[in-house]
Amino acid sequence: MLSPVSWSGGGVHIIRQTLLPDREVWVDLKTVDEVAEAIRCLDIRGAPAIGVAAALGMAQAARLYAGNDSGELIEAVEAAGDLLAGTRPTAVNLFWAIERMKKKLSDLSGRDAVGIRTGLLEEAQKIREEDIAFCKAIGEHGAQFMPDKGGILTHCNAGALATGGYGTALGVIRAAVEAGKDIRVYADETRPLLQGARLTTWELMQDKIPVTLICDNAAGHLMQLGRVQACVVGADRIAKNGDAANKIGTYSVAVLAQKHGIPFYVAAPSSTVDLSLKSGERIPIEERDGCEVTSPRDTCFAPPGVAVFNPAFDVTPNELIRAIITENGAATHPNMAKELEEMVLSTSRA
Amino acid sequence: MLSPVSWSGGGVHIIRQTLLPDREVWVDLKTVDEVAEAIRCLDIRGAPAIGVAAALGMAQAARLYAGNDSGELIEAVEAAGDLLAGTRPTAVNLFWAIERMKKKLSDLSGRDAVGIRTGLLEEAQKIREEDIAFCKAIGEHGAQFMPDKGGILTHCNAGALATGGYGTALGVIRAAVEAGKDIRVYADETRPLLQGARLTTWELMQDKIPVTLICDNAAGHLMQLGRVQACVVGADRIAKNGDAANKIGTYSVAVLAQKHGIPFYVAAPSSTVDLSLKSGERIPIEERDGCEVTSPRDTCFAPPGVAVFNPAFDVTPNELIRAIITENGAATHPNMAKELEEMVLSTSRA
């Protein structure tokens, strides 16, 4: 199974997603700085994958500390967590994974340096394995919502490449295909960084799942033509009430789906839910450099010096979402908030 | 004033829009084939500009016929019209201009070859001059609908570059700015061919009208933020009931505008109205090569061999349009169809 981030023995093993689909380059990230930079530059992206990478990065920090002083080791790991927390603001899985590793660190504080190192690596690997298992569970819960036959629109990449493996939105699609459903995926190209064009098409073509690439602009027309029976996307942070932040343009897809009476689903592990935020308005939206818009892949698209507004995410209000699918089932209206909270607590208690 | 297509004495003088904004290259197209190819490859684009170019191309055909036989001359011009009619299917101004030139040809059929040549060139130049005058009138009628202060979203390029000069949607914006309104334009980049990123920003920056480039994906988020007070776009063909075909993605903008209670306007000369079509469903939608999506500006965006759906236009139903602004005023609900028809007849009678 394709897994974009794992532990290699020598470091954090990743596929450099910015080079896809032109080149398939795998590297071992040896330092925490390298992990942080890979998250920042989007070689590692997708909320769950970022969480896994941060956890492995903290385990790597423990490994890099050569001494035997538990206190110094703990400080080094905490500093690594703080560094990684500063990479990207929107995906909450990053902070969730760092918090979980810090809690583990605290639980291990009585151990010697070797014990702490071992315990942290085990915890990071557990986060990764759980993420894959959760994606499979999301797929199982979500497949029932997919049409037996028809077109499914997805935005950005919420696939194997965005997770430990298997994917959230694409996990739902994979599970539906495995269940024998006759599905064609429509992949929004997802400007500016083209995760749909570069990554979603690539991983679905590898799995021989039928996929058609469209410009983000064509989603409405495709719905007018009756070719879309469901939409399914991932999420970077979900507020307590079900409002969901995801890649810029997701909100437009949701509004179009509503206009056409097409169900719109969000698929994400419960670690994406931020119960501390009552609604989506408070989710911090990362704004990225305008050159992503004006010069994608180093090609000039616009006049020099043009003003650019480049938000990386938007928030889809819960009323546009038919169901939020997590590893523990589907949260639906009218009790979406309550069901969502129960799913979060159910996993955190386990 | 910037005019993308005119008569140079030696041929059809155009700016090669596919090279903008990197290079500003003006050329004289000497043959009808060259004019047809320039339309096909989008060196000339924008419904009104395509109409002007076709008219000038037919005048050029008359000029290229070196003999004195009126019958042969008429045949050559008619063949040129047929060739030009095959270049692109959606913009009705193309067919409107060709029909008008054919009617002029028929009116001139009693004249000698010199008289026909002269008459056709005069008619083509009249079409161009009228188009500029109509754009100015559209601007005057449309400016009142623009906010005194605020953001105006536009999609694709319905500017000077899409017309004889001044522009339709950008004509409305220019007139609003000339009237002292404090406006910032948000230009959708308009994938796949980036007419917004490459052309709208370029011509507005030349006129020092504040413009911010966004990915098409960011339009919904921008509206959520309250930064858009009106949307104005051009059209390639408007059916009798006001349904309007325009660049792919326009429909999405209209749906988003409706969701946010933002008025959405269409600005076009009455030659864009096709009274023969009762509604927009019958407007032929051009589908273009997938490489426009996968390899814009020769840069690879997607895996080789991926399936692509690349419609060039979509249709916005009249109920999403607050007003259609032509040279004769604004057609609004509840009598949009009737007002539209009166505006078409008023110009064709003049």
Side-chain angles (χ1 to χ4, degrees):
Chain A
M1 188 185 59
L2 175 68
S3 177
V5 53
S6 58
W7 181 254
S8 71
V12 183
H13 188 62
I14 67 154
I15 182 165
R16 293 190 56 193
Q17 298 195 36
T18 56
L19 302 180
L20 286 173
D22 317 10
R23 288 189 293 149
E24 192 176 327
V25 176
W26 295 86
V27 289
D28 281 350
L29 305 175
K30 307 278 190 184
T31 68
V32 178
D33 279 337
E34 283 177 10
V35 175
E37 182 50 29
I39 293 173
R40 221 177 271 120
C41 85
L42 308 189
D43 267 339
I44 304 165
R45 31 67 53 199
I50 290 171
V52 171
L56 289 170
M58 288 171 77
Q60 175 73 329
R63 198 168 163 274
L64 290 171
Y65 171 73
N68 288 318
D69 185 317
S70 304
E72 282 181 15
L73 172 54
I74 289 169
E75 271 176 36
V77 175
E78 281 178 343
D82 293 345
L83 175 73
L84 289 160
T87 51
R88 297 193 70 195
T90 303
V92 79
N93 314 60
L94 173 66
F95 309 107
W96 169 89
I98 292 167
E99 279 315 302
R100 182 159 152 185
M101 290 295 283
K102 283 191 174 172
K103 189 179 170 302
K104 185 71 185 182
L105 189 62
S106 158
D107 295 347
L108 294 165
S109 60
R111 306 268 188 96
D112 63 6
V114 173
I116 294 175
R117 266 187 216 107
T118 310
L120 284 180
L121 181 56
E122 281 171 5
E123 185 72 1
Q125 287 185 309
K126 195 173 156 200
I127 287 175
R128 176 175 170 276
E129 281 152 25
E130 275 178 12
D131 188 64
I132 296 171
F134 288 174
C135 284
K136 295 245 167 118
I138 289 168
E140 274 169 38
H141 292 303
Q144 61 174 311
F145 296 110
M146 297 296 105
D148 288 335
K149 182 178 167 61
I152 300 176
L153 182 75
T154 189
H155 191 74
C156 196
N157 173 272
L161 288 167
T163 59
Y166 200 71
T168 51
L170 296 194
V172 170
I173 288 170
R174 283 194 166 91
V177 170
E178 285 161 16
K181 297 194 174 192
D182 180 10
I183 280 165
R184 169 160 294 276
V185 179
Y186 290 100
D188 272 357
E189 65 171 358
T190 316
R191 280 281 287 147
L193 291 172
L194 301 158
Q195 292 91 337
R198 296 189 300 107
L199 308 178
T200 294
T201 57
W202 183 80
E203 71 166 89
L204 292 177
M205 285 167 83
Q206 292 214 329
D207 278 5
K208 304 211 186 319
I209 296 174
V211 57
T212 297
L213 173 63
I214 61 168
C215 286
D216 306 307
N217 269 338
H221 182 59
L222 203 66
M223 292 181 189
Q224 284 181 307
L225 293 175
R227 293 212 219 162
V228 180
Q229 278 62 55
C231 302
V232 57
V233 300
D236 291 80
R237 192 184 304 211
I238 300 171
K240 193 175 176 181
N241 69 345
D243 294 351
N246 191 46
K247 183 54 53 198
I248 188 73
T250 301
Y251 171 64
S252 301
V253 173
V255 169
L256 286 166
Q258 180 189 46
K259 175 84 181 169
H260 291 267
I262 297 166
F264 179 93
Y265 301 100
V266 171
S270 67
S271 56
T272 310
V273 180
D274 183 350
L275 292 177
S276 78
L277 295 184
K278 253 171 73 177
S279 68
E281 290 143 46
R282 304 291 293 278
I283 298 176
I285 300 294
E286 179 182 11
E287 212 177 306
R288 292 181 63 91
D289 198 294
C291 71
E292 292 182 349
V293 178
T294 57
S295 321
R297 316 216 94 197
D298 296 326
T299 301
C300 173
F301 269 26
V306 68
V308 180
F309 176 54
N310 182 26
F313 302 94
D314 58 26
V315 175
T316 298
N318 66 53
E319 64 266 22
L320 298 182
I321 302 169
R322 183 73 60 92
I324 298 174
I325 304 154
T326 78
E327 69 276 16
N328 294 319
T332 54
H333 299 290
N335 298 314
M336 185 177 271
K338 193 158 166 283
E339 291 169 14
L340 210 50
E341 184 167 6
E342 279 165 14
M343 291 195 278
V344 175
L345 298 178
S346 163
T347 286
S348 65
R349 271 194 303 262
Chain B
M1 188 186 59
L2 175 68
S3 176
V5 53
S6 58
W7 182 253
S8 71
V12 183
H13 188 62
I14 67 154
I15 182 166
R16 292 191 57 192
Q17 298 194 38
T18 56
L19 302 180
L20 285 173
D22 317 10
R23 287 190 292 149
E24 193 177 329
V25 176
W26 295 85
V27 289
D28 282 349
L29 306 174
K30 307 278 190 183
T31 68
V32 178
D33 280 337
E34 283 176 11
V35 175
E37 183 49 31
I39 293 172
R40 221 178 270 121
C41 84
L42 307 188
D43 268 338
I44 304 165
R45 34 65 52 200
I50 289 172
V52 171
L56 289 170
M58 288 171 77
Q60 175 73 328
R63 197 168 163 275
L64 290 172
Y65 171 73
N68 287 318
D69 185 318
S70 305
E72 281 181 16
L73 172 54
I74 288 169
E75 271 177 34
V77 175
E78 281 178 341
D82 293 344
L83 176 75
L84 290 160
T87 50
R88 297 193 69 195
T90 303
V92 79
N93 315 58
L94 173 66
F95 309 106
W96 169 88
I98 292 167
E99 279 315 302
R100 182 160 152 184
M101 289 297 282
K102 283 192 174 171
K103 187 179 170 303
K104 186 71 185 180
L105 190 62
S106 157
D107 295 347
L108 294 165
S109 61
R111 306 267 188 97
D112 63 7
V114 173
I116 295 175
R117 266 187 216 108
T118 309
L120 285 179
L121 182 56
E122 281 172 7
E123 186 71 2
Q125 287 185 310
K126 197 173 153 199
I127 287 175
R128 177 176 170 276
E129 281 153 23
E130 275 177 13
D131 189 64
I132 296 170
F134 288 174
C135 283
K136 296 244 166 119
I138 288 168
E140 274 168 39
H141 293 303
Q144 61 176 308
F145 296 111
M146 296 297 106
D148 289 336
K149 182 178 168 61
I152 300 177
L153 181 76
T154 190
H155 191 72
C156 196
N157 173 272
L161 288 168
T163 59
Y166 200 71
T168 51
L170 296 195
V172 169
I173 288 170
R174 283 196 166 89
V177 170
E178 285 161 16
K181 297 193 175 192
D182 180 9
I183 280 164
R184 169 160 295 275
V185 179
Y186 290 100
D188 271 357
E189 65 171 357
T190 317
R191 280 279 289 147
L193 291 172
L194 302 159
Q195 292 91 338
R198 296 189 300 108
L199 308 178
T200 294
T201 55
W202 183 80
E203 71 166 88
L204 291 177
M205 285 167 84
Q206 293 214 328
D207 278 6
K208 305 210 186 318
I209 295 174
V211 57
T212 297
L213 174 63
I214 61 168
C215 286
D216 306 308
N217 269 338
H221 182 58
L222 203 66
M223 291 181 189
Q224 284 181 307
L225 293 174
R227 293 212 218 163
V228 180
Q229 279 60 56
C231 302
V232 57
V233 299
D236 290 81
R237 191 184 304 212
I238 300 171
K240 193 175 176 180
N241 70 344
D243 293 352
N246 191 47
K247 182 56 52 198
I248 188 73
T250 302
Y251 170 64
S252 301
V253 173
V255 169
L256 287 166
Q258 181 190 45
K259 176 84 181 169
H260 291 267
I262 297 167
F264 178 92
Y265 301 100
V266 171
S270 67
S271 56
T272 310
V273 181
D274 183 351
L275 292 177
S276 78
L277 295 183
K278 254 171 71 177
S279 69
E281 290 143 45
R282 304 291 293 278
I283 298 176
I285 300 295
E286 179 182 11
E287 212 177 306
R288 293 181 63 90
D289 198 295
C291 71
E292 291 182 351
V293 178
T294 57
S295 321
R297 317 216 93 196
D298 295 327
T299 301
C300 173
F301 269 26
V306 67
V308 180
F309 176 54
N310 182 25
F313 303 94
D314 58 25
V315 174
T316 298
N318 66 54
E319 64 266 23
L320 298 182
I321 303 169
R322 182 74 60 92
I324 298 174
I325 304 154
T326 78
E327 70 275 16
N328 294 319
T332 55
H333 298 291
N335 298 314
M336 185 177 271
K338 193 157 168 283
E339 290 169 14
L340 210 50
E341 184 167 7
E342 278 165 13
M343 291 195 278
V344 174
L345 298 177
S346 162
T347 286
S348 64
R349 271 194 304 261

